[in-house]
Amino acid sequence: MSTTRTRGILTSAAAIILTASAIGGTAAAQAAGNHDRPDATTTDSSSHRGTSTSLADAFNGVDRNTNWQQTSKLKLNFPTYHTEGIAFSRDHIFLSAVQITEPTTKFPTPQNGFDRTPGKGIGHLFVMDKSGKLQKDIILGEGDMYHPGGIDFDGANVWVPVAQYRPNSSAIIYRIDATTLDVHKQFEVKDHFGGIVMDKRTGHLVGNTWGSRRFAEWDLQGKQLATWENPNYFIDYQDCQYVPDARMLCAGVTNLPQTPAAGGTGATYELGGMAMIDLKTRSVLRDVPFQQFSTAGHVATRNPFKMTADGDHLTMKVAPDNGDEGNGTEILTYEATVTPAK
């Protein structure tokens, strides 16, 4: 759907209401305040307030020698399919996932600008209580757009992109009220966008495309305000979060080929990592590898990821395993104490 058509659907009055709801709700959540350090049942990020720089400061102390310790596992006892993004509100855990019913198939040569068939699937946003008990399964998507990506909670709303499962395609940006769980189709965009954050400095949304090779910025009515290339090729970002002031913390994975001696001609190695991005300069401020693995053998930063800070203590929540792998999907908690860089 083009921007012009989107504006035709959203009347001016509705656009104003949506903007006030998203930004006003965020301000209310910021005023109420949240706990910075999560435990097994509480993960309210300090970034919801939009002012504390504790996470950005602490992440500056993370390097390849940081001593991350896994401190807990939360087993999810319902079908989770292929997990994508995670977010935490005061009352809920949100987990996006895609259920594939017909896999995509690569074309011998591109057809109509696509490198593969659309496939078929169902997009899920699972809503859980803090013990991991499923409360609601929200189905998202339309037609060929069934693949939810990385998600972000802005203090009032959960933002979810749902795209076609192929590059250079299209996506819907959804807003879900974290309290009422009402679903709002915010706008549609051209291209596959697999992750999103709300920039509280501007009130705009920032998304990343297939493989996180490109970023785009929109206002809340879907007007594209900027686009830029990712200057970093270390990993493909899968799930991101807003970090005050005007930063974006992402995690992800790159699948690297192995030599035959290291595992066979078809073997791959998952290189995981995290990156802090400056939303003003659009540059990567710091990126570090992460090489701890899940029950099923995936690098922990493979897909869902969120991090919080309490002073120099960092807590990371990830859910790298699919529902049919290993012990099923587990929300893993890693913690580390760092010395912030000066």
Side-chain angles (χ1 to χ4, degrees):
M1 183 183 289
S2 67
T3 302
T4 302
R5 186 180 173 190
T6 303
R7 288 175 178 167
I9 295 175
L10 291 172
T11 66
S12 298
I16 293 171
I17 292 170
L18 286 174
T19 304
S21 173
I23 298 177
T26 300
Q30 292 167 358
N34 297 306
H35 297 294
D36 283 353
R37 180 177 177 181
D39 54 25
T41 59
T42 303
T43 314
D44 294 323
S45 171
S46 61
S47 66
H48 300 168
R49 302 177 206 166
T51 56
S52 172
T53 62
S54 60
L55 179 51
D57 295 340
F59 189 76
N60 279 334
V62 176
D63 59 30
R64 67 174 62 182
N65 297 315
T66 297
N67 183 24
W68 291 97
Q69 297 291 321
Q70 187 182 117
T71 56
S72 71
K73 291 183 181 181
L74 177 59
K75 175 74 169 66
L76 302 183
N77 293 312
F78 58 90
T80 53
Y81 310 108
H82 177 48
T83 58
E84 296 291 343
I86 198 166
F88 300 84
S89 70
R90 189 180 299 276
D91 300 316
H92 299 113
I93 303 172
F94 297 88
L95 181 73
S96 63
V98 59
Q99 177 185 358
I100 302 299
T101 59
E102 179 185 303
T104 61
T105 302
K106 284 285 193 77
F107 295 127
T109 58
Q111 297 184 19
N112 300 317
F114 297 116
D115 70 345
R116 68 195 71 189
T117 63
K120 294 180 181 179
I122 302 169
H124 298 266
L125 182 67
F126 299 117
V127 185
M128 296 165 272
D129 63 19
K130 290 305 181 73
S131 68
K133 182 179 179 181
L134 182 65
Q135 296 180 314
K136 189 171 185 178
D137 179 1
I138 300 174
I139 304 301
L140 299 174
E142 296 178 6
D144 292 339
M145 294 178 284
Y146 59 82
H147 187 289
I151 65 179
D152 190 31
F153 173 58
D154 68 8
N157 303 289
V158 179
W159 297 91
V160 184
V162 179
Q164 294 188 47
Y165 207 166
R166 53 185 177 176
N168 306 310
S169 53
S170 58
I172 301 170
I173 308 302
Y174 287 98
R175 176 176 63 86
I176 293 89
D177 186 299
T179 301
T180 65
L181 304 182
D182 291 338
V183 177
H184 305 270
K185 180 180 176 181
Q186 198 79 7
F187 53 84
E188 290 188 25
V189 291
K190 294 180 178 179
D191 210 343
H192 172 108
F193 281 90
I196 198 166
V197 300
M198 161 66 77
D199 183 349
K200 296 188 184 66
R201 174 182 58 97
T202 61
H204 298 157
L205 296 167
V206 176
N208 54 277
T209 60
W210 184 278
S212 66
R213 293 305 94 209
R214 186 171 63 86
F215 293 94
E217 178 180 355
W218 310 279
D219 66 17
L220 294 186
Q221 288 72 54
K223 179 182 179 181
Q224 183 173 289
L225 304 173
T227 182
W228 64 96
E229 299 297 316
N230 185 351
N232 188 282
Y233 289 86
F234 175 52
I235 57 170
D236 294 342
Y237 309 137
Q238 303 297 317
D239 198 13
C240 302
Q241 68 191 88
Y242 178 75
V243 178
D245 179 27
R247 295 178 178 90
M248 178 179 181
L249 179 60
C250 299
V253 63
T254 295
N255 289 308
L256 301 175
Q258 291 276 38
T259 63
T265 56
T268 59
Y269 175 75
E270 292 185 357
L271 173 63
M274 301 168 284
M276 185 75 76
I277 301 164
D278 190 315
L279 290 173
K280 295 178 182 177
T281 64
R282 296 164 183 167
S283 60
V284 177
L285 300 174
R286 190 176 190 87
D287 58 1
V288 293
F290 189 87
Q291 290 298 278
Q292 295 208 36
F293 295 86
S294 68
T295 302
H298 293 296
V299 70
T301 59
R302 178 185 181 222
N303 273 316
F305 159 89
K306 288 298 177 288
M307 184 181 290
T308 58
D310 181 7
D312 60 359
H313 190 88
L314 290 168
T315 301
M316 179 171 63
K317 302 279 189 178
V318 293
D321 291 347
N322 296 338
D324 60 353
E325 298 177 313
N327 194 37
T329 300
E330 300 169 313
I331 299 177
L332 310 177
T333 301
Y334 291 89
E335 299 187 53
T337 299
V338 299
T339 302
K342 302 298 183 182

